Amino acid sequence: MNEDEILLKSLKNILTELRDEYEYYHQFSDEDSLVLAEECKESAEIMEDILPDITDVDSLDDLSDDDYSFVYEMLQAYAEVFIIDGTSEAARVEGEKEYEVILDLLDDMESDFVMDEEDEDD
């Protein structure tokens, strides 16, 4: 898989996870669960709105600052809990490659933040 495919796969996985988490928290009636359910629902709605605009890594630059930050935060959270399939050597190698691509994307996105801040200071 190339960088663009991994980005799109990751964002779709994030959306699926947000929906699943909403369903999980929504089944409870305590205040904390309802708050978490609402946060998941709102994040899923944002992702649904911006996902059609993301066709590849370069299209991230066309997002608004808020949407760019949102994608960065979602990818960062996704990377923190990324699971590498160790059931076979091929799956492990592919998972490690995918994880490295996500980390590289995050580094690139973070450097864009720094460059934008420097531009604002000028």
Side-chain angles (χ1 to χ4, degrees):
M1 258 190 280
N2 66 36
E3 187 177 52
D4 296 329
E5 293 169 329
I6 291 172
L7 171 65
L8 294 174
K9 176 185 173 190
S10 298
L11 294 177
K12 289 175 184 174
N13 286 344
I14 290 167
L15 178 57
T16 299
E17 288 175 9
L18 288 168
R19 289 175 178 158
D20 290 347
E21 288 177 22
Y22 168 77
E23 291 299 324
Y24 174 76
Y25 290 122
H26 189 68
Q27 69 184 336
F28 302 107
S29 59
D30 63 282
E31 186 177 337
D32 289 341
S33 294
L34 294 175
V35 168
L36 290 170
E38 188 61 29
E39 288 175 1
C40 290
K41 181 180 176 185
E42 289 172 2
S43 293
E45 288 171 352
I46 294 169
M47 185 64 77
E48 288 168 352
D49 287 344
I50 62 177
L51 198 52
D53 297 332
I54 302 171
T55 56
D56 55 20
V57 173
D58 291 337
S59 66
L60 292 173
D61 294 334
D62 298 331
L63 297 175
S64 70
D65 289 345
D66 288 342
D67 288 346
Y68 190 90
S69 295
F70 176 80
V71 169
Y72 176 80
E73 290 171 13
M74 291 290 106
L75 277 174
Q76 189 174 39
Y78 182 71
E80 289 174 2
V81 296
F82 190 86
I83 297 172
I84 296 175
D85 180 359
T87 57
S88 71
E89 182 66 16
R92 184 188 61 75
V93 169
E94 184 64 28
E96 288 175 352
K97 177 185 170 204
E98 190 172 326
Y99 181 67
E100 287 300 318
V101 168
I102 293 168
L103 293 180
D104 288 344
L105 280 168
L106 287 168
D107 284 344
D108 291 345
M109 291 178 79
E110 185 176 4
S111 67
D112 285 345
F113 283 134
V114 172
M115 290 179 66
D116 286 346
E117 289 174 7
E118 288 175 359
D119 290 343
E120 289 174 7
D121 291 342
D122 291 341

